[in-house]
Amino acid sequence: MAITHTSHRARRLQARRWAAVAAIALMLSTLLALFGARVAGAVGDLTVRVYTDSNRNGQYDSGEPGLSGVPVSVFNTDNNLLYSVNTDSSGLATFPNVPNGDYRVEVTNP
């Protein structure tokens, strides 16, 4: 009778372990699904700097003056205009809360 009792206890313990493993697997898959959804729907600010490239090296260097009032536009992959602003006094155009994706940025030559 003791062997049956131990065997029954062992089966219950094994069933609990499998239930715990299944619960952990479910939690992990749920977390991964949520994490994946967050990455796919990520939102961030897009900032464009328009400046005078004084030394003509093709990159912004500290001290190079920004150009204010320059129109900057953002288009989606279907070539639809999504956002359009003018640069501020520092030469920055900021587009807040832009969803993750592919865009074309157009700067109008001042």
Side-chain angles (χ1 to χ4, degrees):
M1 188 92 126
I3 294 173
T4 305
H5 181 64
T6 303
S7 177
H8 182 66
R9 179 180 283 171
R11 279 187 262 143
R12 281 195 336 221
L13 184 57
Q14 186 177 14
R16 286 182 186 161
R17 286 182 185 153
W18 280 113
V21 168
I24 290 170
L26 179 61
M27 285 189 323
L28 286 175
S29 65
T30 302
L31 287 174
L32 289 173
L34 289 174
F35 179 73
R38 282 193 179 156
V39 170
V43 174
D45 294 346
L46 171 64
T47 302
V48 177
R49 180 186 305 265
V50 181
Y51 61 96
T52 300
D53 189 11
S54 302
N55 60 3
R56 296 180 174 224
N57 67 351
Q59 60 187 5
Y60 176 74
D61 297 307
S62 180
E64 292 182 323
L67 299 174
S68 66
V70 178
V72 179
S73 302
V74 177
F75 297 85
N76 66 9
T77 55
D78 294 327
N79 210 30
N80 296 318
L81 176 65
L82 301 177
Y83 312 99
S84 185
V85 299
N86 290 339
T87 56
D88 62 15
S89 61
S90 301
L92 298 176
T94 302
F95 304 92
N97 302 317
V98 177
N100 202 11
D102 295 325
Y103 301 97
R104 180 174 58 86
V105 177
E106 184 176 287
V107 177
T108 303
N109 195 358

